[in-house]
Amino acid sequence: MMSFFQVILILISLVIFSNGQRSDHIGINYGKLGKNLPTPYQSIETIRNMNAGMVKLYNADSETLRLLAGTGLHVAIMVKNEEIVDLTTESIATKWVHDNVFAYYPRTMIRYILVGNEVYSSHVQEQWDNLVLAMTHIRNTLRSHDIHNIKIGTPLAMDILSGTFPPSNGTFRVDTLTTLVPLLQLLRKSRSFFFLDVYPYFPWSKDPINMSLNFALFEGGNLTYTDPNTGLLYTNLLDQMLDSVYFAMKKIGFPEIPIVISETGWPNQGDLDQPGANIYNAATYNRNLIKKIVAEPPLGTPARPGTIIPTFLFSLYDENLKGGPGTERHWGLLRPDGTPVYQLDLTGVQTEYDPLPDPTNNFPYKGDLWCVVHAAANMTELGPMLTGLCTRLNGTCEAVLGPGKECYEPVSMIWHASYVFSTFWSKYRRRGTACYFNGLATLTTDNPSHGSCLFPSVTI
């Protein structure tokens, strides 16, 4: 019997999302890196009530695959990066397919097997070198059972390119070509797709002064860009990014491989130094994206007009166990408790929505920032974190280590940890360190310095 909580979640999703149609070309990425998320049963019911046509998993979880049986949802499952090398042994690859596909197919409508995730974004040469062989073994096992409607692919990020602007200059990184060309040959041979994780938020947020936010949100109106090499006219940033990949494939002899957008979205919240991450922009981006993807006839892109581009939105939930910058935990259509962050119609039929709060952070923050202990930090975790940082990092904690040191007083775990967090973050921010520290830290504009103790800051 369903709990009261389960019933409420399903009713909420019906009210917010359902209009009785299914969006065949729109799917949702279902990640589970969150604390106290709704169960897989509740999650799948919500995805169905949202009228999604597809769901993408980041593994081949048996419980979720069983629950997807009979739902009509097209399913993408994933081989983890660390499993790729093992699957170059044919018998292991065959067993993987039997355990993770044949055990559920065809009642669970598995349509894509994705081998690895953004493999070329990390320089693990062993995974690069073995990716195509692992994919080939999986495909051969499917073909030996006369299964041809499951496509094999691997999601790649935009960093696979060395050049993206203008779109006609799209070029793959030279270091990837040795293994990328066989990958594209396999995709062509198997009539599969180039799976692409593409986020207009990232190039916009790196240059929010010179790049139009409206252009990134499909709200440019008369704002257009013409590629000087092709004369193609662009009205949004996503099309530019997609076409840069199409042109890159064409340059090395693969002009016909279609793209599936395996991840895209916009963060609904972020840190103080992450502009444009808010509910208003997230809703605007996803609503306009859906209208583009579900349009009839298909819109495609300037370089591939009329092309259907199946698209998986990222993501179902705000995943609050992810590390890194604040945006990493805030891409969800739903909060961790399962309630919607904003209204969204995956079919693109709805055009009127309740008003959203005006964004207040569309321009970069200018000023000093400090990294301090979060007001909701778990105090039992603070001590071990502080001890670990001070043990590993020479100089980071010297100012708080004992009486007479300039930041020793007031003698407080929170005070000492805040100093250490600020010191470490300011020193290593440019290397990608976030003011997070397992959820114990947050950014502040208020200078926490006291007396002779000066907290290191970052000036934005």
Side-chain angles (χ1 to χ4, degrees), residues 46-258:
T46 298
I47 292 170
R48 293 178 67 189
N49 291 328
M50 292 168 73
N51 298 311
M54 308 179 291
V55 60
K56 176 167 155 270
L57 311 179
Y58 287 89
N59 51 28
D61 173 63
S62 59
E63 179 188 11
T64 306
L65 288 173
R66 284 196 302 271
L67 289 168
L68 283 164
T71 63
L73 287 164
H74 286 194
V75 180
I77 62 175
M78 185 173 286
V79 174
K80 296 178 182 178
N81 288 15
E82 57 268 25
E83 297 175 311
I84 290 173
V85 175
D86 289 342
L87 297 188
T88 57
T89 300
E90 189 171 7
S91 60
I92 295 177
T94 298
K95 184 177 187 306
W96 191 95
V97 175
H98 277 267
D99 292 347
N100 298 290
V101 179
F102 296 158
Y104 313 101
Y105 178 89
R107 289 201 67 234
T108 298
M109 298 174 66
I110 298 170
R111 290 294 180 267
Y112 306 111
I113 299 175
L114 304 178
V115 182
N117 191 37
E118 298 187 352
V119 171
Y120 288 93
S121 296
S122 57
H123 291 268
V124 183
Q125 193 65 45
E126 192 176 30
Q127 293 176 3
W128 292 22
D129 293 341
N130 289 285
L131 177 62
V132 173
L133 181 57
M135 294 172 67
T136 300
H137 284 331
I138 290 174
R139 178 173 180 262
N140 289 344
T141 301
L142 295 173
R143 287 169 60 84
S144 70
H145 287 75
D146 202 29
I147 295 174
H148 302 277
N149 64 345
I150 298 178
K151 298 299 182 183
I152 311 300
T154 185
L156 302 177
M158 287 296 297
D159 62 6
I160 195 75
L161 302 182
S162 61
T164 63
F165 187 80
S168 57
N169 283 351
T171 308
F172 288 118
R173 287 179 4 223
V174 173
D175 64 319
T176 68
L177 292 178
T178 301
T179 52
L180 184 61
V181 169
L183 170 62
L184 292 171
Q185 289 172 336
L186 177 62
L187 297 181
R188 171 194 278 166
K189 180 180 179 181
S190 59
R191 297 183 179 180
S192 189
F193 304 91
F194 191 105
F195 289 85
L196 182 66
D197 295 349
V198 53
Y199 291 97
Y201 173 75
F202 290 125
W204 173 81
S205 63
K206 289 178 181 177
D207 190 15
I209 299 299
N210 298 309
M211 188 176 292
S212 166
L213 175 60
N214 285 340
F215 195 73
L217 296 175
F218 306 92
E219 296 271 293
N222 294 327
L223 178 64
T224 59
Y225 170 78
T226 301
D227 188 317
N229 300 319
T230 63
L232 293 174
L233 185 69
Y234 290 87
T235 61
N236 64 81
L237 183 54
L238 179 71
D239 280 349
Q240 284 190 354
M241 297 171 76
L242 293 173
D243 275 358
S244 68
V245 176
Y246 284 131
F247 279 110
M249 286 194 286
K250 184 177 180 179
K251 285 175 184 174
I252 58 173
F254 299 91
E256 77 291 350
I257 295 177

Side-chain angles (χ1 to χ4, degrees), residues 158-410:
M158 287 296 297
D159 62 6
I160 195 75
L161 302 182
S162 61
T164 63
F165 187 80
S168 57
N169 283 351
T171 308
F172 288 118
R173 287 179 4 223
V174 173
D175 64 319
T176 68
L177 292 178
T178 301
T179 52
L180 184 61
V181 169
L183 170 62
L184 292 171
Q185 289 172 336
L186 177 62
L187 297 181
R188 171 194 278 166
K189 180 180 179 181
S190 59
R191 297 183 179 180
S192 189
F193 304 91
F194 191 105
F195 289 85
L196 182 66
D197 295 349
V198 53
Y199 291 97
Y201 173 75
F202 290 125
W204 173 81
S205 63
K206 289 178 181 177
D207 190 15
I209 299 299
N210 298 309
M211 188 176 292
S212 166
L213 175 60
N214 285 340
F215 195 73
L217 296 175
F218 306 92
E219 296 271 293
N222 294 327
L223 178 64
T224 59
Y225 170 78
T226 301
D227 188 317
N229 300 319
T230 63
L232 293 174
L233 185 69
Y234 290 87
T235 61
N236 64 81
L237 183 54
L238 179 71
D239 280 349
Q240 284 190 354
M241 297 171 76
L242 293 173
D243 275 358
S244 68
V245 176
Y246 284 131
F247 279 110
M249 286 194 286
K250 184 177 180 179
K251 285 175 184 174
I252 58 173
F254 299 91
E256 77 291 350
I257 295 177
I259 285 177
V260 167
I261 298 177
S262 42
E263 289 184 10
T264 192
W266 195 281
N268 62 63
Q269 187 177 323
D271 293 330
L272 290 172
D273 58 345
Q274 295 181 293
N278 55 64
I279 290 175
Y280 185 95
N281 291 344
T284 300
Y285 178 84
N286 280 327
R287 290 168 184 174
N288 287 332
L289 169 74
I290 290 165
K291 283 191 285 188
K292 171 184 171 62
I293 298 301
V294 304
E296 291 291 347
L299 297 178
T301 69
R304 295 273 187 94
T307 301
I308 295 173
I309 309 174
T311 297
F312 291 88
L313 300 180
F314 187 85
S315 59
L316 181 60
Y317 296 115
D318 278 352
E319 295 178 70
N320 50 21
L321 291 182
K322 285 188 170 182
T327 52
E328 285 296 301
R329 293 173 290 285
H330 293 285
W331 294 86
L333 306 179
L334 308 177
R335 300 180 182 89
D337 65 4
T339 58
V341 178
Y342 49 85
Q343 293 175 299
L344 191 67
D345 173 19
L346 298 189
T347 68
V349 173
Q350 185 173 350
T351 57
E352 298 293 329
Y353 294 95
D354 294 339
L356 291 169
D358 290 334
T360 59
N361 66 338
N362 282 348
F363 295 96
Y365 172 79
K366 296 294 183 183
D368 293 330
L369 291 173
W370 293 264
C371 181
V372 298
V373 172
H374 197 292
N378 185 331
M379 293 298 107
T380 62
E381 298 177 6
L382 202 56
M385 174 63 71
L386 185 58
T387 300
L389 289 173
C390 292
T391 300
R392 299 196 317 268
L393 304 164
N394 292 333
T396 300
C397 305
E398 188 169 335
V400 300
L401 283 181
K405 297 293 185 179
E406 61 266 32
C407 294
Y408 181 68
E409 294 182 352

